[in-house]
């Protein structure tokens, strides 16, 4: 029998070390290495090193010989959820659903599972809540409760034995942090337990074709506690994020072997459970009739669709010697960079002003297409003049004050026109050849031109 091997795994970055150390040599975190005993089977090239290759010779195929049958998928019943998964649930896939406690992971999955249970065999394993709690919630939400099989169990061996007998097509483990494998000595929730449990669930999913949803809690700073080490095992990692205090929740794919990443689905937590929001632009745009200075609507690209969001800036005389630069929802460094560009190429000196920038609705914008709208918002706030409510903007701003095009300009403009915007200030290269109906599109190629157009 192969010897088992002891490794030390960092709880933060998941790297493996052969020796214990106080500080992880890879990510530099302190006191994060913990012991992990790896079973010896199938490890290394022991046989090869001894000269003979003992295994059977497998048959090889070139890519074009592989059957390209469409990945069969089924719908969760929620188009926003399907979209994030890449178009529905793939049988045999392992999906990690992460989020802070209270985000609504259990509620959403319970709703999905109750609906799916009407068409196929389903199993919901709850390790955190009692069966009564789950039943009470399902009852209160008015979900169909007669077909979904429930199991309150935390032993992985027992869960899989039960599942093997039932052969469900979809299965939820709520959560992966409370289950434990008998042959792993450490406590549930630790790296070793989480990793081994997930590996066993994955093996089960791949062998039997059951789609698996593993619930994982994340810590305050947004990283998956422990399950960071899972990312290479699972097929799809989706996060359910709270948008601050609001009742809106966004579902986002961080990794997806079957679809696009950064796809966004929007839900609202209501007293009747999670409701999907089919037209998110409408909620992020709930502006009143009078628009105050410093507010501009921009079109950002989320996964495979455009989204209209309001960006606000507040420029105010600074009281301290160090003016403040606060960015919420956009990158702080980008804000500083834009202020420098505004100074050099727009002639606007904001060195003695505090500047605050905020993306409304708690959305986080990672793309550079927000640059131009942010600049316009800053100028609007500084001059204390509101921007026309019917105006949208997007575009990247370069260091020499040039306005650069962004991908999918045409679709962004169409989305804005659909929501009744009549004017757009966009990069010159993004102006479509065919005019957009009902919209006056102004193409600009430099900061000066943009400020003129305003
Ligand atoms: P839950 O699904 O238990 O969160 P998670 O599994 O991610 O920890 O959601 C719990 C929160 O949602 C809780 O704070 C109450 C709220 N909630 C509602 O507002 N309406 C509802 O219909 C339900 C079921 C929960
Ligand atoms: Mg829960």
């Amino acid at each position: 029998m192969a010897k088992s091997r002891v490794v030390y795994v960092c709880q933060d970055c998941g790297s493996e070390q052969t020796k214990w150390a106080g500080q992880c040599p890879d990510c530099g975190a302190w006191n994060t290495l913990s012991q992990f005993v790896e079973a010896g089977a199938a490890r290394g090239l022991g046989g090869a090193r001894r000269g003979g290759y003992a295994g059977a010779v497998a048959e090889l195929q070139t890519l074009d010989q592989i059957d390209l049958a469409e990945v069969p998928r089924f719908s969760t019943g929620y188009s926003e959820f399907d979209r994030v998964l890449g178009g529905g649930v793939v049988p045999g896939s392992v999906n990690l659903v992460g989020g802070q406690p209270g985000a609504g992971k259990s509620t959403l999955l319970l709703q999905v599972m109750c609906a799916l249970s009407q068409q196929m065999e389903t199993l919901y394993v709850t390790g955190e809540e009692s069966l009564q709690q789950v039943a009470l919630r399902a009852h209160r939400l008015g979900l169909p409760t007669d077909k979904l099989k429930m199991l309150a169990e935390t032993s992985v061996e027992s869960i899989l034995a039960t599942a093997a007998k039932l052969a469900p097509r979809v299965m939820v483990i709520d959560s992966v942090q409370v289950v434990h494998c008998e042959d792993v000595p450490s406590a549930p929730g630790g790296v070793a337990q989480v990793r081994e449990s997930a590996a066993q669930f994955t093996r089960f999913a791949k062998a039997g074709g059951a789609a698996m949803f593993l619930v994982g809690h994340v810590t305050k700073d947004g990283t998956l506690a422990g399950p960071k080490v899972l990312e290479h095992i699972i097929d799809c990692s989706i996060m359910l994020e709270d948008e601050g205090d609001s009742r809106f929740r966004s579902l986002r794919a961080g990794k997806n072997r079957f679809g696009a990443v950064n796809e966004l689905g929007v839900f609202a937590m209501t007293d009747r459970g999670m409701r999907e929001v089919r037209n998110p632009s409408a909620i992020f745009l709930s502006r009143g009739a009078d628009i105050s200075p410093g507010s501009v609507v921009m079109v950002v690209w989320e996964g495979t669709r455009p989204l209209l969001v309001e960006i606000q800036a507040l420029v105010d005389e600074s009281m301290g010697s160090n003016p403040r630069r606060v960015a919420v929802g956009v990158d702080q460094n980008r804000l500083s960079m834009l202020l420098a560009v505004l100074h050099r190429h727009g002639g606007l000196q904001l060195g003695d002003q505090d500047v605050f920038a905020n993306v409304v609705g708690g959305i986080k914008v990672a793309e550079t297409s927000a640059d131009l709208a942010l600049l316009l918002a800053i100028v609007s706030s500084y001059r204390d003049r509101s921007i026309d409510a019917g105006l949208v903007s997007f575009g990247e701003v370069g260091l020499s004050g040039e306005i650069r095009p962004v991908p999918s300009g045409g679709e962004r403009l169409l989305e804005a026109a659909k929501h009744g915007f009549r004017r757009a200030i966009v990069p010159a290269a993004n102006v479509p050849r065919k005019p957009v109906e009902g919209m006056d599109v102004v193409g600009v190629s430099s900061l000066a031109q943009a400020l003129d157009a305003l």
Side-chain angles (χ1 to χ4, degrees), residues 255-313:
K255 160 186 175 174
N256 193 348
R257 288 187 178 147
F258 306 111
V261 291
N262 285 328
E263 193 65 83
L264 177 81
V266 182
F267 285 85
M269 177 61 96
T270 68
D271 55 344
R272 309 275 299 151
M274 296 281 270
R275 285 283 163 90
E276 57 185 333
V277 178
R278 294 255 174 92
N279 183 4
S281 289
I283 57 160
F284 294 120
L285 268 190
S286 41
R287 301 203 289 178
D290 18 289
I291 309 294
S292 44
S295 155
V296 179
V297 173
M298 58 181 177
V299 195
V300 295
W301 198 256
E302 282 290 347
T304 54
R305 68 174 167 190
L307 189 66
L308 291 162
V309 241
E310 179 186 347
I311 186 160
Q312 296 176 327

Side-chain angles (χ1 to χ4, degrees), residues 315-393:
V315 180
D316 192 24
E317 207 170 301
S318 179
M319 292 300 157
S321 51
N322 265 333
R324 302 182 62 192
R325 306 276 177 255
V326 180
V328 181
V330 282
D331 184 23
Q332 175 102 28
N333 292 329
R334 219 137 180 112
L335 175 64
S336 306
M337 191 193 91
L338 290 175
L339 290 173
V341 173
L342 197 57
H343 181 209
R344 264 308 279 280
H345 304 285
L348 212 57
Q349 164 65 288
L350 298 179
D352 54 352
Q353 308 277 331
D354 289 335
V355 180
F356 303 89
N358 175 38
V359 183
V360 176
I363 296 264
K364 288 181 196 69
V365 181
E367 27 153 44
T368 52
S369 72
D371 291 356
L372 185 54
L374 178 54
L375 270 189
L376 297 183
I378 292 171
V379 173
S380 156
S381 173
Y382 180 67
R383 300 218 193 283
D384 202 22
R385 301 248 310 264
S386 337
I387 291 179
D388 172 22
L391 179 114
V392 283
S393 183

Side-chain angles (χ1 to χ4, degrees), residues 60-398:
L60 301 174
Q61 283 180 309
T62 55
L63 283 172
D64 63 340
Q65 291 169 334
I66 296 166
D67 189 10
L68 283 189
E70 270 285 299
V71 188
R73 292 174 186 264
F74 53 87
S75 168
T76 56
Y78 292 90
S79 59
E80 293 291 303
F81 201 164
D82 289 348
R83 171 209 296 286
V84 175
L85 289 172
V89 187
V90 177
S93 64
V94 181
N95 308 283
L96 182 67
V97 180
Q100 290 189 7
K105 303 178 293 294
S106 306
T107 308
L108 180 62
L109 287 172
L110 184 65
Q111 287 175 225
V112 167
M113 291 296 274
C114 281
L116 285 178
S117 68
Q118 301 298 308
Q119 313 153 22
M120 57 187 79
E121 198 63 77
T122 44
L123 175 63
Y124 193 111
V125 181
T126 170
E128 295 194 343
E129 292 166 294
S130 71
L131 290 175
Q132 282 86 348
Q133 282 172 317
V134 182
L136 209 66
R137 179 184 299 170
H139 186 73
R140 199 172 60 70
L141 297 179
L143 301 171
T145 49
D146 56 332
K147 299 263 173 59
L148 178 61
K149 303 283 191 317
M150 296 293 307
L151 175 67
E153 180 58 70
T154 55
S155 152
V156 173
E157 288 78 7
S158 172
I159 293 172
L160 289 180
T162 316
K165 187 145 171 278
L166 180 72
R169 285 188 59 201
V170 203
M171 194 169 155
V172 167
I173 307 293
D174 191 359
S175 71
V176 71
Q177 271 117 348
V178 296
V179 295
H180 60 91
C181 301
E182 264 143 44
D183 36 346
V184 179
S186 64
V191 166
Q193 279 290 3
V194 166
R195 192 149 100 155
E196 183 57 25
S197 315
Q200 294 211 26
F201 290 131
T202 305
R203 234 170 282 140
F204 178 82
K206 300 292 168 205
M212 189 77 75
F213 287 93
L214 306 176
V215 174
H217 294 290
V218 297
T219 51
K220 281 264 158 46
D221 58 3
T223 53
L224 283 167
K228 189 94 181 110
V229 289
L230 291 185
E231 296 227 311
H232 63 283
I233 303 182
I234 53 164
D235 297 311
C236 178
S237 155
I238 49 191
M239 282 286 184
L240 188 61
E241 293 163 353
D242 303 48
E243 310 286 10
D245 285 339
S246 97
R247 61 202 187 91
F248 295 110
R249 306 281 193 271
S250 56
L251 196 63
R252 201 185 281 278
K255 160 186 175 174
N256 193 348
R257 288 187 178 147
F258 306 111
V261 291
N262 285 328
E263 193 65 83
L264 177 81
V266 182
F267 285 85
M269 177 61 96
T270 68
D271 55 344
R272 309 275 299 151
M274 296 281 270
R275 285 283 163 90
E276 57 185 333
V277 178
R278 294 255 174 92
N279 183 4
S281 289
I283 57 160
F284 294 120
L285 268 190
S286 41
R287 301 203 289 178
D290 18 289
I291 309 294
S292 44
S295 155
V296 179
V297 173
M298 58 181 177
V299 195
V300 295
W301 198 256
E302 282 290 347
T304 54
R305 68 174 167 190
L307 189 66
L308 291 162
V309 241
E310 179 186 347
I311 186 160
Q312 296 176 327
L314 180 68
V315 180
D316 192 24
E317 207 170 301
S318 179
M319 292 300 157
S321 51
N322 265 333
R324 302 182 62 192
R325 306 276 177 255
V326 180
V328 181
V330 282
D331 184 23
Q332 175 102 28
N333 292 329
R334 219 137 180 112
L335 175 64
S336 306
M337 191 193 91
L338 290 175
L339 290 173
V341 173
L342 197 57
H343 181 209
R344 264 308 279 280
H345 304 285
L348 212 57
Q349 164 65 288
L350 298 179
D352 54 352
Q353 308 277 331
D354 289 335
V355 180
F356 303 89
N358 175 38
V359 183
V360 176
I363 296 264
K364 288 181 196 69
V365 181
E367 27 153 44
T368 52
S369 72
D371 291 356
L372 185 54
L374 178 54
L375 270 189
L376 297 183
I378 292 171
V379 173
S380 156
S381 173
Y382 180 67
R383 300 218 193 283
D384 202 22
R385 301 248 310 264
S386 337
I387 291 179
D388 172 22
L391 179 114
V392 283
S393 183
F394 59 83
E396 179 177 336
V397 176

Side-chain angles (χ1 to χ4, degrees), residues 378-437:
I378 292 171
V379 173
S380 156
S381 173
Y382 180 67
R383 300 218 193 283
D384 202 22
R385 301 248 310 264
S386 337
I387 291 179
D388 172 22
L391 179 114
V392 283
S393 183
F394 59 83
E396 179 177 336
V397 176
L399 282 184
S400 49
E402 80 278 21
I403 310 289
R404 298 165 163 273
V406 294
S408 320
E411 283 100 322
R412 292 182 205 238
L413 287 170
L414 286 178
E415 174 79 2
K418 208 170 83 195
H419 283 85
F421 287 87
R422 299 177 312 277
R423 212 167 154 241
I425 300 182
V426 302
N430 277 131
V431 177
R433 280 197 211 101
K434 217 173 82 206
V436 184
E437 205 180 314

